[in-house]
Amino acid sequence: MASLFNFGAFMYITMNQLSSRLDVGRQALFFGYAAIEVIIVLLAVAFIPTHQDRKTKRRFRLFCSSIYKSLFRAPFSPASPADGTALPHSFVQSTLTTPVAKRGSRIDWKEGKTKFKSLMMRLWNEAKRPEFYLLCLFYSISLTVISFYAGATPDMMKQKGDDPDNPIYLSVLFPLLSNMHPVFAPIVGYVIDKWGFPWSFGLSAIFLQIVMGLTLVPSLPLQILSFVLFALNSGFMFASFFASLTLLFDSAVCGQLYAIVTGVATAIGCLNMPLITYTQQTENGDYTNTYTILIAITFVLYVYPVFLFYKSKESKLSKLAATVPFDITGLEDEAEDGVPTLSAPLLGHGQHDNHQVVAHAKANHDEHTRAE
């Protein structure tokens, strides 16, 4: 989903090419873009509930009701929404048809107040976790560096020898290659599923540092590699951020958590303004010292993946009790009640590791059974 969202950047490239090569006027481009938006809005209205009956509180859609309902069917057993899993089909349908208290009544006001307090408590419990602080720091620094890199690219390409009359690197290669992260979405998904968030966030930091380092090299053809790695960094960073925000935190308050992270990232992103002033006035347009400072700051990004990695090792048996309903010997870090636990795969241990632990536990169980 994150990759598809960022894929919309190609619209700017398309409009630029239509304007420069086919001599399409701005009025035609804007009307065409508006027509596309109208189609998208109609599709959204078709699939998303548009209104509800004031008496029965039932929600209605214009059409495509059967298709809309099929989107909410969970292919697995019901689970708690706090686990980051999809809600069962029966639960979703009940929320669409269950009557609620009359709006404005005393019961409705009390229920709303109670739900609000409960929501704020869940939000506070998630916001005070160290994972959330480190996620805010990782996303804010990454977004600040990415924004500075994208803004400084025109000057950097000119300094490296891009033709000002026909800037191929700036007008074609940079927007085309740097927005190719949807192509790398399968790789990003495989890394997250196989090795977990510690590796995906770590690779994002590594790619970002390599991109910043390549930008300092006075070689114009080498910047093609930096554009590709920039797309990889964006793919890993955005996909890991949104996936971890949903899977590692309470999904009921992930919207509020995202708002907090966005606010923090916006505040930290304001640091780009003094950096630009310093580069233009003090360094006379030379980005060497500024990029060196940014590369040094990006080392802070490794704190979050390292934290996730060590936390996954400490709780590596947190879910084994739910998988293997018998005692296990030969495994470390048992819980206080004697029941081993196993961590969630996305914290760093994939399905392959879980299967090995389960196989080891079953082998021990069979050995004890034969001994008895």
Side-chain angles (χ1 to χ4, degrees), residues 177-192:
L177 297 178
S178 62
N179 290 299
M180 290 295 291
H181 33 276
V183 178
F184 303 118
I187 300 176
V188 177
Y190 178 81
V191 171
I192 294 177

Side-chain angles (χ1 to χ4, degrees), residues 182-221:
V183 178
F184 303 118
I187 300 176
V188 177
Y190 178 81
V191 171
I192 294 177
D193 292 338
K194 184 66 176 180
W195 293 291
F197 289 120
W199 283 93
S200 62
F201 279 109
L203 288 174
S204 173
I206 292 173
F207 289 139
L208 184 58
Q209 287 187 325
I210 295 176
V211 168
M212 302 297 287
L214 290 176
T215 307
L216 295 176
V217 179
S219 174
L220 193 59

Side-chain angles (χ1 to χ4, degrees), residues 12-34:
Y12 297 104
I13 304 175
T14 303
M15 296 178 71
N16 183 30
Q17 295 299 316
L18 290 175
S19 176
S20 60
R21 297 183 182 276
L22 300 181
D23 197 22
V24 180
R26 289 193 174 187
Q27 184 176 7
L29 289 175
F30 291 160
F31 272 109
Y33 192 84

Side-chain angles (χ1 to χ4, degrees), residues 66 157 194 196:
S66 60
M157 294 301 103
K194 184 66 176 180

